[in-house]
């Protein structure tokens, strides 16, 4: 009996625990009750209301702001190649410039005076060149005149030689006649005098020919010298031009120009 009563107590306890668990699972919480009530109201009002938008395809743009500095691909500091006074600044900071554009100008009075001096030397050299050419032309004319005189002297010599030969023939004939006493002795003497005079004339013309030839040689030497002087003066003209161009080139550096396209 005692054993049966203990078993009954244990079974009763297990039953109570099981009932408590079942009651806990079936009990509704206050929140659950309110949701059910709201659900009932929503069901009564109809379908839920939602907002809609039209889908449009766009590029995704991302903008990032960061501190930094910008430098040109090419940069240069410009200096004047020659010294002088700043005359003008043509452009300002930030201006766009093109290659070869003048940025600033210098005033160099010393080089300007030197340039004028070089120009004067060119004119002087040109004047000397003109004189040298005139000397060449004069020498050519003198050569022609001397050659003409020589030819004339040679022509006169031939004429006088012919006359001398004639006088020689007459003298020989007179001499033969004189030997035969066919003529007066004075005729023979006259023929001798005429022959001697003819010889003298021929010798005079030969001397004139030699003088004319020497004159031609001397004038030819003058002509050669005149030609040499002309070449020397032409070289002086070229040197004067070169000196002028050198100063003019240096003076071009008085203008500071942009070496390439860019921004000041």
């Amino acid at each position: 009996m005692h054993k049966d009563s203990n078993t009954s107590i244990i079974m009763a306890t297990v039953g109570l625990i099981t009932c408590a668990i079942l009651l806990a699972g079936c009990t509704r919480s206050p929140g659950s009750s309110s949701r059910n009530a709201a659900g009932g109201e929503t069901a009564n009002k109809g379908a839920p209301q939602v907002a809609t938008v039209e889908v449009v395809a766009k590029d995704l743009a991302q903008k990032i702001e960061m501190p930094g500095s910008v430098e040109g691909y090419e940069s240069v500091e410009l200096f004047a190649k020659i010294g002088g006074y700043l005359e003008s600044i043509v452009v300002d900071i930030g201006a766009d410039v093109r290659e070869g554009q003048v940025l600033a100008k210098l005033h160099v009075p010393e080089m300007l005076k030197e340039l004028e001096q070089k120009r004067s030397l060119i004119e002087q050299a040109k004047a000397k060149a003109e004189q040298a050419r005139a000397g060449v032309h004069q020498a050519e004319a003198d050569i022609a005149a001397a050659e003409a005189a020589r030819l004339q002297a040679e022509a006169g010599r031939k004429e006088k030689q012919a006359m001398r030969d004639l006088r020689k023939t007459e003298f020989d004939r007179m001499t033969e006649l004189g030997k035969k006493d066919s003529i007066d002795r004075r005729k023979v003497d006259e023929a001798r005098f005429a022959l001697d005079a003819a010889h003298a004339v021929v010798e005079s013309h030969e001397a004139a020919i030699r003088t004319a030839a020497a004159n031609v040689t001397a004038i030819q030497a003058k002509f050669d010298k005149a030609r040499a002087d002309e070449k020397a003066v032409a070289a002086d003209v070229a040197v004067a031009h070169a000196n002028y161009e050198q100063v003019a080139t240096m003076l071009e550096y008085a203008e500071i120009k942009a070496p390439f396209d860019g921004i000041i």
Side-chain angles (χ1 to χ4, degrees):
M1 288 297 294
H2 183 71
K3 184 177 178 180
D4 293 335
S5 62
N6 290 336
T7 302
S8 298
I9 293 171
I10 292 171
M11 291 297 292
T13 303
V14 172
L16 291 173
I17 294 171
T18 301
C19 290
I21 293 171
L22 291 174
L23 290 174
C26 294
T27 303
R28 285 187 289 182
S29 62
S32 177
S33 178
S34 63
R35 282 195 300 269
N36 289 335
E41 293 176 0
T42 304
N44 294 331
K45 292 181 180 180
Q49 300 294 321
V50 294
T52 62
V53 294
E54 182 179 358
V55 179
V56 179
K58 294 182 177 180
D59 294 334
L60 180 61
Q62 293 182 344
K63 182 178 180 182
I64 300 176
E65 295 183 0
M66 299 180 65
S69 61
V70 179
E71 294 183 0
Y73 181 73
E74 291 181 314
S75 61
V76 64
E77 293 183 0
L78 301 178
F79 299 93
K81 192 173 182 177
I82 59 176
Y85 302 100
L86 182 60
E87 182 177 350
S88 63
I89 299 177
V90 183
V91 295
D92 200 356
I93 297 176
D96 293 330
V97 296
R98 296 296 181 185
E99 181 180 354
Q101 181 177 344
V102 177
L103 309 179
K105 295 181 180 180
L106 300 178
H107 179 58
V108 190
E110 297 85 356
M111 294 193 70
L112 291 174
K113 291 181 180 179
E114 185 177 0
L115 188 66
E116 289 298 325
Q117 181 184 7
K118 300 301 182 183
R119 185 181 291 110
S120 299
L121 291 176
I122 290 176
E123 297 301 325
Q124 183 179 359
K126 286 182 177 180
K128 290 182 178 180
E130 290 294 333
Q131 292 178 355
R133 280 192 290 270
V136 170
H137 295 327
Q138 183 62 44
E140 289 176 344
D142 293 342
I143 288 175
E147 185 66 22
R150 185 183 66 82
L151 294 175
Q152 184 178 5
E154 288 181 351
R157 180 183 64 178
K158 291 180 180 180
E159 180 183 357
K160 299 307 177 182
Q161 284 176 343
M163 181 61 67
R164 181 195 61 186
D165 295 339
L166 177 61
R167 297 301 183 188
K168 178 70 169 57
T169 301
E170 291 180 351
F171 173 73
D172 292 339
R173 184 164 56 84
M174 291 295 178
T175 300
E176 290 296 328
L177 293 173
K179 289 179 180 180
K180 296 177 181 180
D181 293 330
S182 299
I183 59 173
D184 189 359
R185 188 66 186 176
R186 288 178 298 179
K187 294 291 184 180
V188 177
D189 293 337
E190 290 176 359
R192 182 184 296 109
F193 292 149
L195 178 60
D196 292 340
H199 276 298
V201 171
V202 170
E203 290 177 357
S204 175
H205 277 77
E206 288 178 350
I209 291 173
R210 290 192 296 270
T211 301
N215 193 24
V216 170
T217 302
I219 295 175
Q220 182 65 47
K222 291 181 179 180
F223 172 77
D224 294 338
K225 182 179 182 302
R227 291 296 299 270
D229 291 342
E230 183 182 23
K231 292 180 179 180
V233 173
D236 292 340
V237 173
V239 171
H241 274 290
N243 293 334
Y244 175 83
E245 293 297 332
Q246 181 181 7
V247 178
T249 300
M250 292 299 296
L251 195 58
E252 289 180 358
Y253 291 111
E255 291 185 346
I256 302 176
K257 300 180 180 179
F260 47 76
D261 297 349
I263 300 175
I264 299 299

